[in-house]
Amino acid sequence: MAVQVEIWTDINCPFCYLGKARFEEALQAFPHRDSVEVVHRSFELDPTLPHDHSDAVVPHIAEKYGISEEQAAANERGIGAQAEAMGLTYQIEGRDFGSSFDMHRLLHFALAEGRQEAMLNALYAANFAEDAPLFGDAERLVRVAVNAGFDEAGVRAVLDDSTAYAEAVRADEAEAAALGARGVPFFVIDRKYGVSGAQPSEVFEQALQQAWTDHAPVLQTVAEGDVCGPDGCALPERN
């Protein structure tokens, strides 16, 4: 009996990076963690970006939300402080953003290889923990994947074929829309419970426990009779 957790994320999303760590903290404390299956699903924050797009994060945030670059930089520092509290490295300066479509295709490639978690961790580290730009550079993606233990020829074959796993990415995104997800991270447990955002670990613990309780059948005893147990068998009544 397994509980399935599907997590819609985007590599551009800092709260996905935080949310993954908080969920994993909750999962580690969950007594039935070995019976939880985790699958990562695709969600592009901006699917309209050109394939080779790369731009600085802070000016982008300032323009998108109509705030000053100083305010945007302060926002990044605030997220960095949250990451540090989780033991995560977070580059508060110099990060870029761009199209994540190829990264999502690689995540589906990794899922087929049975190593999706390794690919996601490598992509998050490359974007948030390292100071080198990540987006719009296929060679950088190849290096990230190879350093995570993936076969270079296989990675290049995916990146060179724009149709590889493209339908799987689009299917994930369509499913997110059907489920009502308008942002990420978005967690769906057993297709019954949804958790939106990088919630505290305690929230994920409660959701996992509720799903497990509902998942496990409750046996109702409708009749009782004489039984044998570790201490012996019930003695028949004497007339």
Side-chain angles (χ1 to χ4, degrees):
M1 182 178 67
V3 171
Q4 186 186 59
V5 180
E6 298 166 277
I7 310 175
W8 273 263
T9 58
D10 188 32
I11 308 304
N12 280 294
C13 169
F15 292 113
C16 295
Y17 181 48
L18 296 178
K20 183 176 186 295
R22 291 173 181 168
F23 171 77
E24 288 174 349
E25 183 177 74
L27 184 60
Q28 186 61 33
F30 186 55
H32 309 290
R33 59 183 175 275
D34 292 338
S35 297
V36 177
E37 176 193 15
V38 179
V39 180
H40 297 280
R41 303 294 189 191
S42 301
F43 189 108
E44 294 172 274
L45 289 179
D46 188 348
T48 68
L49 290 174
H51 174 80
D52 59 352
H53 184 92
S54 173
D55 205 353
V57 166
V58 168
H60 168 68
I61 293 174
E63 181 180 356
K64 182 175 182 178
Y65 295 102
I67 59 178
S68 69
E69 290 195 16
E70 289 76 13
Q71 290 172 310
N75 181 71
E76 283 292 285
R77 290 193 296 271
I79 297 174
Q82 293 184 55
E84 184 179 3
M86 293 296 302
L88 301 173
T89 301
Y90 188 90
Q91 295 288 339
I92 60 174
E93 295 180 353
R95 288 196 307 107
D96 67 337
F97 77 98
S99 172
S100 56
F101 187 64
D102 284 348
M103 298 176 192
H104 287 297
R105 295 197 299 117
L106 285 178
L107 284 169
H108 277 280
F109 161 73
L111 177 62
E113 296 279 311
R115 299 188 60 230
Q116 190 184 39
E117 196 78 20
M119 181 69 79
L120 183 59
N121 286 339
L123 291 170
Y124 275 150
N127 186 31
F128 296 108
E130 301 173 12
D131 56 5
L134 176 63
F135 294 90
D137 184 351
E139 288 303 312
R140 172 90 163 105
L141 277 185
V142 170
R143 292 195 300 272
V144 167
V146 170
N147 288 340
F150 290 88
D151 175 67
E152 181 174 347
V155 172
R156 289 190 182 277
V158 172
L159 294 178
D160 289 344
D161 179 4
S162 62
T163 66
Y165 301 101
E167 288 186 7
V169 174
R170 297 305 183 210
D172 277 357
E173 294 174 336
E175 200 160 17
L179 289 170
R182 297 294 178 264
V184 285
F186 188 69
F187 301 77
V188 176
I189 305 176
D190 272 350
R191 288 300 171 105
K192 187 173 182 180
Y193 298 100
V195 178
S196 178
Q199 298 287 345
S201 298
E202 294 78 11
V203 174
F204 292 120
E205 288 180 32
Q206 292 168 8
L208 286 169
Q209 187 57 58
Q210 183 63 55
W212 180 263
T213 300
D214 290 352
H215 202 67
V218 178
L219 182 65
Q220 295 184 357
T221 302
V222 296
E224 293 186 7
D226 294 336
V227 297
C228 292
D231 297 325
C233 298
L235 296 176
E237 295 183 3
R238 294 181 180 179
N239 295 326

